[in-house]
Amino acid sequence: NLNIMIKILALVLTIAGAIGLVIGVLGAFGSMNVGLSPWALLIIGIVFFFAGVGMLKTRKDTDQIDADN
């Protein structure tokens, strides 16, 4: 139960990070105008994306170890 909730949180963080990255890059280097600083969105997108991916990798590894035992 807890593993499923953590996987869902990791997936949400990864998707939110990817969206933040896209909007941040388009705002910083493209012509998209956002209400916030595009650099802030870019940094938050990077943090969320890597946090989500890291959580997914960690959960995958521990699930595999639990299954082996």
Side-chain angles (χ1 to χ4, degrees):
N1 236 356
L2 183 62
N3 283 338
I4 293 171
M5 291 185 347
I6 291 175
K7 284 181 185 179
I8 291 171
L9 177 64
L11 190 63
V12 168
L13 280 173
T14 305
I15 292 170
I19 292 170
L21 274 170
V22 169
I23 293 174
V25 167
L26 289 177
F29 302 112
S31 60
M32 185 174 180
N33 191 7
V34 292
L36 300 171
S37 168
W39 291 104
L41 283 174
L42 191 65
I43 292 169
I44 289 176
I46 290 170
V47 169
F48 278 17
F49 183 76
F50 284 115
V53 168
M55 285 176 70
L56 282 173
K57 279 186 175 180
T58 304
R59 285 294 113 191
K60 189 181 219 180
D61 293 344
T62 55
D63 288 348
Q64 214 169 26
I65 291 169
D66 290 342
D68 290 342
N69 293 334

